[in-house]
Amino acid sequence: EAVQKKHDIVVIGGGPGGYVAAIKAAQLGYDTACVEKRGTLGGTCLNVGCIPSKALLNNSHLYHQIKTDTKARGIDVGEANINMDNFMKAKETAVKQLTGGIEMLFKKNKVKYYKGAGSFVDEHTINVDPIEGGEEAVLKADNIIIATGSEATPFPGIEIDEERIITSTGALSLKEVPKRLAIIGGGIIGLEMGSVWSRLGSEVTVIEYNNAIGAGMDGEIAKSTQKFLTKQGLKFNLGAKVTKGVREGDVVKIEYEDTKKGKTVALEADVLLVAVGRRPYTTGLNAEAIGLEFDNKNRVVIDSEYKTKFDHIRCIGDVTFGAMLAHKAEEEGIAAVEYIKNGHGHVNYGNIPSVMYSHPEVAWVGQSEEQLKEAGIKYNVGKFPFIANSRAKTNNDTEGFVKFLADSETQRVLGVHIIGPNAGEMIAEAGLALEYGASTEDISRVCHAHPTLSEAFKEAAMDTFGKPINF
Ligand code: FAD
């Protein structure tokens, strides 16, 4: 007979949404438990998402630079080679340190960690089916937070074996560099993985159904992104509808319909990455037991306070509405707990940054030109290229530009879109500007250090209402 335990708050899922919610709840004085069945904390993001992908991106960039870029900088180095075992080990070390770090944070904050799969018995009871190192338990909870995340969306008719036909999880731990890598889907995950393996030597072909890559990017930014990735050797087939993807021995045979030309194209690859998005994950949760509501995309239906149809069961992160991003899940984790504690919480959905960690990086926040046009809002555009920025020039890293969209009457910042070195860091300044309702003139009156990349940010802001100094 399993032990019964009582907690104020039980969080199901230990990803960025769930673990942050659990720590916050404990900090606010609740007896809190978190149920996670993976064996490690940190969810998709730390284990098979954000963190391992960025480790591979960083180190493949370093390798690529050593191979192609050191001579011009006056550094003579011997031949650079990838040691795949150690290359992957470096990634695993980063992941282990961070997932272990959360376990420490749980201890420090006195969050009870149940290692196992949580499922609903009734609306106040969660059964824990233990994995190795876990304990069987039946949890009674005053409040429950569902944070079970997402999984890769399958492609109808294409069978994943995580060897030759892979998801992003397989792409993070290939044992050798595939000679030819085909990718279905030109979204952020596909393009990041494409960048990694292209730098290591794969011929990468991206097959995308839409007529633009970078799902959701500002149109101009998407085009420029495609240009610089093409320069780096990635091939793109847009408007391409995949109709076949089968493994035959050691090759994968792919067919797609070129929707513009109306003809079928056949393609062979050594590895096929299916990166067509992610879908909410609730397998094994036994949501039927409490009659949880789902929408047509299988997202858990919630209200503006993250409440499901039950006042005491809330839901956050990838498994419900909104952008599938770690920082969005984290914000919701905090807000959901604050709703429990005080009756109010806050996430500004108009100010959630997106970053693609290619080189240069692509980052944006707020609205795109397409969105502003559709909303009938009049705006000014301000731009500044990194080729005119002294630091970028000094570093010989000048690809890209900063683009501001500002209200044409008030100069209020409405959106910022950046392609450039460290754009992912720079976009935080745009986030502050948006949050405080800054105008582009406000930004232009803030002293930015010289020589830094962020001077390009300031000058692009100036360009929305006048002239930048250095271009
Ligand atoms: P998850 O991180 O998916 O966590 C849910 C957890 O719940 C999982 O660990 C799962 O095991 C557990 N679980 C599920 N059901 C149960 C159950 N019944 N009982 C117990 N445990 C359960 N986002 C970014 O912001 N930046 C990036 O750079 C980025 N890169 C990415 C790269 C890749 C390759 C991928 C795949 C994703 C990336 N993402 C990135 C997205 C990011 O990983 C997710 O948005 C984020 O992890 C969502 O957090 P979550 O807490 O909602 O869910």
Side-chain angles (χ1 to χ4, degrees):
E1 184 66 0
V3 254
Q4 271 219 14
K5 296 273 176 62
K6 166 80 180 45
H7 296 281
D8 297 334
I9 300 181
V10 170
V11 181
I12 309 174
Y19 94 73
V20 167
I23 290 175
K24 183 72 185 177
Q27 287 174 348
L28 292 179
Y30 291 110
D31 173 344
T32 307
C34 181
V35 188
E36 170 58 61
K37 67 175 180 177
R38 187 185 292 272
T40 50
L41 293 167
T44 303
C45 177
L46 274 74
N47 291 283
V48 288
C50 330
I51 298 304
S53 61
K54 266 80 263 182
L56 296 188
L57 278 156
N58 186 66
N59 294 342
S60 63
H61 175 60
L62 193 58
Y63 167 72
H64 192 250
Q65 263 206 308
I66 293 169
K67 277 198 82 112
T68 60
D69 198 27
T70 44
K71 239 196 173 58
R73 297 172 188 276
I75 309 167
D76 293 332
V77 290
E79 206 187 330
N81 289 304
I82 289 287
N83 176 324
M84 194 55 84
D85 276 355
N86 291 341
F87 188 76
M88 289 296 166
K89 264 188 206 140
K91 170 205 72 176
E92 281 146 27
T93 302
V95 168
K96 265 200 202 109
Q97 283 172 349
L98 289 166
T99 56
I102 301 175
E103 216 163 315
M104 306 259 284
L105 288 172
F106 270 14
K107 286 199 180 111
K108 187 174 147 196
N109 288 285
K110 305 201 167 55
V111 174
K112 171 74 184 162
Y113 172 22
Y114 290 98
K115 284 190 179 182
S119 59
F120 281 100
V121 178
D122 60 46
E123 64 228 49
H124 279 286
T125 315
I126 305 290
N127 183 64
V128 179
D129 184 9
I131 56 163
E132 204 190 317
E135 54 191 300
E136 204 172 328
V138 176
L139 311 181
K140 289 275 176 193
D142 293 338
N143 282 280
I144 295 167
I145 297 176
I146 300 169
T148 49
S150 62
E151 62 181 351
T153 306
F155 195 98
I158 298 184
E159 203 180 313
I160 303 287
D161 61 15
E162 293 297 9
E163 206 181 82
R164 294 275 163 189
I165 304 186
I166 60 177
T167 65
S168 57
T169 301
L172 292 169
S173 33
L174 289 176
K175 297 206 166 50
E176 54 188 42
V177 180
K179 196 170 166 314
R180 299 161 301 175
L181 172 66
I183 303 175
I184 308 180
I188 295 188
I189 292 178
L191 297 177
E192 286 187 352
M193 289 300 100
S195 290
V196 166
W197 294 104
S198 155
R199 291 166 188 168
L200 300 185
S202 296
E203 292 163 25
V204 174
T205 306
V206 177
I207 310 164
E208 165 61 54
Y209 179 73
N210 291 322
N211 289 313
I213 60 162
M217 280 180 194
D218 175 89
E220 182 187 16
I221 296 286
K223 279 206 190 93
S224 301
T225 298
Q226 190 183 335
K227 244 187 233 159
F228 81 70
L229 289 174
T230 302
K231 243 194 315 189
Q232 292 172 12
L234 278 76
K235 290 204 185 77
F236 290 95
N237 300 300
L238 305 186
K241 189 177 164 195
V242 172
T243 49
K244 177 182 155 185
V246 265
R247 177 176 180 169
E248 287 180 20
D250 279 347
V251 296
V252 183
K253 300 217 162 141
I254 302 148
E255 276 179 20
Y256 66 85
E257 194 187 309
D258 183 329
T259 55
K260 272 180 238 149
K261 294 185 185 145
K263 60 169 194 190
T264 299
V265 182
L267 187 79
E268 258 186 31
D270 302 293
V271 172
L272 171 64
L273 165 61
V274 179
V276 293
R278 297 185 58 81
R279 63 179 187 188
Y281 178 82
T282 50
T283 309
L285 188 62
N286 199 25
E288 314 82 75
I290 58 166
L292 213 59
E293 285 167 354
F294 295 89
D295 77 349
N296 60 352
K297 288 185 174 159
N298 226 25
R299 297 175 291 201
V300 175
V301 174
I302 52 168
D303 68 8
S304 61
E305 302 182 4
Y306 310 101
K307 277 183 196 161
T308 63
K309 66 188 242 197
F310 303 97
D311 282 351
H312 70 288
I313 303 179
R314 287 179 156 85
C315 180
I316 56 169
D318 280 12
V319 71
T320 183
F321 309 122
M324 288 190 173
L325 292 168
H327 42 280
K328 175 266 194 188
E330 292 177 19
E331 294 298 311
E332 291 183 341
I334 304 270
V337 171
E338 287 178 336
Y339 270 115
I340 294 172
K341 179 84 180 174
N342 314 313
H344 46 84
H346 171 77
V347 177
N348 180 355
Y349 289 96
N351 191 6
I352 306 229
S354 295
V355 182
M356 180 169 100
Y357 297 82
S358 47
H359 190 89
E361 292 178 352
V362 183
W364 67 98
V365 67
Q367 303 187 72
S368 63
E369 283 203 58
E370 290 73 21
Q371 286 168 331
L372 291 174
K373 275 185 194 135
E374 201 182 304
I377 298 169
K378 292 220 171 66
Y379 61 93
N380 290 349
V381 181
K383 273 196 234 171
F384 192 86
F386 283 102
I387 189 89
N389 171 268
S390 57
R391 187 64 184 280
K393 269 256 195 267
T394 311
N395 293 351
N396 192 18
D397 197 0
T398 53
E399 179 97 54
F401 57 93
V402 181
K403 170 177 173 178
F404 266 82
L405 303 174
D407 188 288
S408 57
E409 231 167 86
T410 63
Q411 301 176 2
R412 185 180 178 135
V413 178
L414 301 173
V416 180
H417 306 264
I418 307 171
I419 297 177
N422 284 333
E425 303 291 339
M426 191 179 287
I427 205 67
E429 186 174 356
L432 278 178
L434 274 180
E435 199 66 39
Y436 290 108
S439 70
T440 46
E441 186 184 342
D442 291 330
I443 292 169
S444 76
R445 290 184 182 281
V446 176
C447 182
H448 286 65
H450 177 74
T452 60
L453 298 169
S454 64
E455 288 173 290
F457 187 86
K458 175 183 169 180
E459 296 236 34
M462 289 166 81
D463 188 44
T464 61
F465 59 83
K467 279 192 109 24
I469 299 294
N470 289 290
F471 189 62

